[in-house]
Amino acid sequence: MTGRWALAPVEGGGADVVPLGPDDLPSGPVRREPDLAEAVRSRPGVTRWVWRSTAEVYPRLLAAGVRVERCHDVEDAETLLLGHEGRSGEPRNAAAALGRLRGGPVPPDPPTRNADPSAQDPLFEAADPVDVPLADLLAVYAEQRRRLAATAHPDRMALLLAAESAGTLVAAEMNRTGLPWRADVHREVLRGLLGERYPGAGEPRRLAELADEVSAAFGRRVRPDLPADVVKAFAQAGVRVRSTRRWELSKLDHPAVPPLLEYKRLYRIWVAHGWSWLQDWVREGRFRPEFLPAGTVTGRWVTHGGGALQIPKVIRRAVIADPGWRLVVADADQMEPRVLAAISRDPAFMKVAGRESDLYQAVSERAFAGDRDRAKIAVLGAIYGQTSGDGLKNLAALRRRFPLAVAHVDEAARAGEEGRLVRTWLGRTCPPVGGQEEAEEAGIPLAEDDDELGPGRSTATTRARGRFARNFVVQGSAADWTFLLLAALRRRLRGLAAELVFFQHDEVIVHCPAGEAEQVTAAIRESSAEAARLTFGDTPVRFPFTTAVVECYADAK
DNA sequence: TAAATTGGCGCC
DNA sequence: AAAGGGCGCCAATTTA
């Protein structure tokens, strides 16, 4: 009952299961079990379940109260392996992987569905056309193990696959648990910001007032939610403005600007996190977005539904722990620069990142005469690829003191511009620019005709590809690390009532009884150290977290 | 008329 | 001071 087992659901609610030996082949007979959840529950000693897709299997287990320690998500692994092999455009579903292995048909991936809160009914979902029976799944898995051994750093790639699979478990568990959400508090916040709500059509009162103020300032009726109308109104008032972006408007000296900016801020809350959002996404005291691991090229997760990764600060007032419980909100401090230190192995930068105190302050003392703001601009500029303004001057100062760190991202940018593969620390791979469709699907900026630039000069799109790759190695390696962190934290929370309820790039929220808050805080600290050791090996770089134990999310910062 | 694109802004 | 990287979502507008 120990070791790895593979599992494939079958018609009628059952499953086929089989134990796997050290050679990745079955070490016993396939058993047909009548009940999927029972098949897993009755084998508590299994250390890793191999299955096609966590999203397919695990929600059913969780619904039956069954959790697993570890898994290998074959389709998730397929995505990462294809990427590593420079074949990211090929379908990643299990049936396609089988087709490539056997020379059979290679079905395309099913379209990614959009979550629609009014029409979610998983009971009536059609059978998945890309599903494969257990015997075929085993063949695909064994082949994946061979391909894994052939990667540039098999030990790192194995970690990446394990970490991503752990992420799929965490995501499924969070999807089920949901984020504690007080609808009554949310409504209070809305009333305070937006005023009375007019049932039926029309803006809430505060927005209507601000629209009137804008119109009064222009001397004619202007709809502030229509950029074209606003640009025209400014033109008629003798002010030329290229767009209605906030940073551009805020430079202007015109009486319409203050109410306009306030309107935009509140309008955004109204349409994105207002009463209809509450209606759509909050049920029984929980906000349940759908976390999708590996939703992006860089590895960052995305969510479907409710804009869960963009909850405005003011709305976080509604995230309140259950009575007697607390939220442990943990935020990694300057995660991406610390990751850059770890992957570049720049001695001076590692020294700076080896302290838990403010990294930007430490950088500023070495390169910017103590000016923290400039240090931060320079570091972020290096990571994001700043191309103009003071950023370049600051970047030069950064390069003098931390040459290897800057060279690391410069090299990634060059590789991206030249269409070479770019990898994160653990081996997640940024697709090269191949076919047009492929690149567009992956969101990679494409080269285009640009006759005005002579030979030897990059086009704007080439430079955009460079920035993409530059950021990829840092953001992606940071994602690598956070999944190891999540896996470690999940393991450490086992046995507690505490539950992971939220994850956002460099921030986690754990919901726990007040009495467990101290243990949870310690678990986060220990998980950070463990994840750093596993991911980057022997590195002096530290990854401190700011943790807050609060009843309300809004009080965490 | 439905699908795709655009402008804008929230979060990291 | 200037407008770099990654997303999702909404309404309006354009395209097919």
Side-chain angles (χ1 to χ4, degrees):
Chain A
M1 289 298 185
T2 61
R4 287 171 302 162
W5 281 58
L7 175 156
V10 297
E11 292 278 318
D16 285 338
V17 298
V18 67
L20 297 175
D23 53 0
D24 303 320
L25 295 173
S27 60
V30 173
R31 297 145 215 223
R32 171 67 54 98
E33 299 280 353
D35 184 83
L36 169 72
E38 203 48 45
V40 174
R41 197 203 311 270
S42 63
R43 295 178 173 85
V46 172
T47 53
R48 190 180 299 277
W49 283 98
V50 176
W51 52 45
R52 178 178 73 88
S53 159
T54 301
E56 178 206 24
V57 176
Y58 201 36
R60 290 170 58 188
L61 298 181
L62 291 172
V66 178
R67 294 199 168 206
V68 304
E69 291 284 313
R70 297 187 187 83
C71 75
H72 174 94
D73 182 313
V74 166
E75 292 189 340
D76 187 86
E78 188 67 21
T79 307
L80 294 165
L81 288 167
L82 282 173
H84 193 279
E85 294 156 356
R87 304 156 65 201
S88 57
E90 299 184 31
R92 42 92 64 160
N93 68 77
L98 183 73
R100 284 188 289 266
L101 182 59
R102 298 259 170 87
V106 178
D109 290 332
T112 52
R113 71 204 154 84
N114 270 319
D116 179 351
S118 62
Q120 42 182 255
D121 201 345
L123 290 179
F124 292 97
E125 268 178 20
D128 205 325
V130 297
D131 208 353
V132 296
L134 183 60
D136 292 338
L137 187 74
L138 291 174
V140 171
Y141 176 62
E143 176 67 7
Q144 286 188 342
R145 300 280 292 176
R146 282 190 288 274
R147 290 156 66 197
L148 169 62
T151 55
H153 297 280
D155 49 337
R156 295 191 199 172
M157 195 70 184
L159 261 181
L160 179 62
L161 299 194
E164 284 248 334
S165 278
T168 67
L169 296 178
V170 170
E173 289 165 4
M174 290 200 304
N175 290 347
R176 179 167 180 82
T177 305
L179 184 62
W181 200 280
R182 284 272 298 274
D184 56 329
V185 175
H186 189 163
R187 285 193 200 94
E188 266 174 49
V189 170
L190 291 178
R191 193 160 50 243
L193 290 171
L194 301 171
E196 280 309 303
R197 174 193 190 187
Y198 296 126
E203 301 170 315
R205 197 175 72 175
R206 183 72 187 125
L207 283 181
E209 289 169 358
L210 286 165
D212 288 344
E213 286 178 40
V214 171
S215 295
F218 282 121
R220 74 164 175 89
R221 189 78 213 158
V222 173
R223 285 192 51 190
D225 55 324
L226 300 184
D229 200 19
V230 172
V231 170
K232 202 162 64 182
F234 271 117
Q236 286 164 354
V239 183
R240 282 195 52 191
V241 56
R242 289 173 55 248
S243 74
T244 65
R245 287 190 171 82
R246 190 174 52 198
W247 60 266
E248 195 158 348
L249 292 187
S250 53
K251 290 186 301 199
L252 304 178
D253 181 25
H254 188 280
V257 168
L260 196 48
L261 293 180
E262 181 68 355
Y263 181 96
K264 289 159 84 75
R265 182 177 83 89
L266 295 177
Y267 176 81
R268 163 82 193 167
I269 289 164
W270 178 49
V271 298
H273 287 91
W275 291 278
S276 57
W277 181 92
L278 199 45
Q279 180 80 32
D280 287 342
W281 295 107
V282 177
R283 296 244 191 302
E284 293 153 5
R286 290 289 189 277
F287 167 40
R288 284 198 182 74
E290 185 185 8
F291 286 93
L292 297 176
T296 70
V297 174
T298 59
R300 276 190 172 187
W301 292 10
V302 298
T303 59
H304 270 170
L309 302 185
Q310 299 97 235
I311 304 169
K313 296 243 161 81
V314 285
I315 300 299
R316 296 177 180 187
R317 185 57 57 192
V319 182
I320 295 176
D322 290 348
W325 287 50
R326 296 291 183 273
L327 299 170
V328 180
V329 180
D331 202 306
D333 302 332
Q334 307 105 29
M335 175 177 69
E336 292 187 344
R338 291 174 187 276
V339 165
L340 176 56
I343 63 179
S344 70
R345 309 232 163 194
D346 182 305
F349 209 43
M350 283 197 293
K351 192 161 185 188
V352 163
R355 303 194 308 201
E356 300 213 343
S357 54
D358 182 49
L359 180 140
Y360 297 122
Q361 188 60 47
V363 168
S364 75
E365 283 158 14
R366 282 161 177 262
F368 297 95
D371 186 336
R372 184 183 184 278
D373 287 347
R374 278 180 62 212
K376 184 171 177 178
I377 290 162
V379 170
L380 294 179
I383 293 173
Y384 290 156
Q386 182 153 29
T387 53
S388 61
D390 285 353
L392 284 184
K393 205 170 61 204
N394 292 328
L395 193 59
L398 193 72
R399 186 177 278 116
R400 276 196 295 278
R401 298 292 183 177
F402 308 102
L404 293 186
V406 177
H408 190 88
V409 283
D410 283 348
E411 165 54 22
R414 198 156 45 241
E417 289 182 3
E418 293 169 4
R420 282 143 53 201
L421 292 179
V422 178
R423 305 192 199 280
T424 67
W425 183 254
L426 291 185
R428 185 191 311 279
T429 305
C430 180
V433 178
Q436 172 153 334
E437 261 176 63
E438 180 182 323
E440 267 169 350
E441 271 170 32
I444 313 289
L446 279 172
E448 61 193 14
D449 294 337
D450 198 342
D451 297 335
E452 286 164 36
L453 295 174
R457 291 201 51 188
S458 339
T459 64
T461 44
T462 299
R463 289 192 298 274
R465 288 210 307 270
R467 286 194 300 274
F468 188 99
R470 172 189 296 270
N471 183 250
F472 175 86
V473 292
V474 179
Q475 192 186 110
S477 297
D480 294 353
W481 173 77
T482 58
F483 303 145
L484 267 299
L485 171 89
L486 277 183
L489 180 57
R490 176 175 181 267
R491 200 161 50 246
R492 282 187 160 79
L493 296 183
R494 196 181 52 199
L496 302 182
E499 51 193 11
L500 264 163
V501 292
F502 192 68
F503 167 61
Q504 183 181 26
H505 312 316
D506 64 350
E507 178 180 3
V508 294
I509 302 182
V510 177
H511 186 224
C512 67
E516 288 182 1
E518 225 170 285
Q519 280 171 274
V520 169
T521 304
I524 289 165
R525 192 173 53 244
E526 293 158 8
S527 300
S528 167
E530 181 185 336
R533 194 173 60 247
L534 280 171
T535 308
F536 301 115
D538 184 21
T539 177
V541 176
R542 307 279 284 273
F543 294 88
F545 275 78
T546 296
T547 56
V549 179
V550 293
E551 290 182 64
C552 174
Y553 187 17
D555 295 330
K557 285 175 188 173

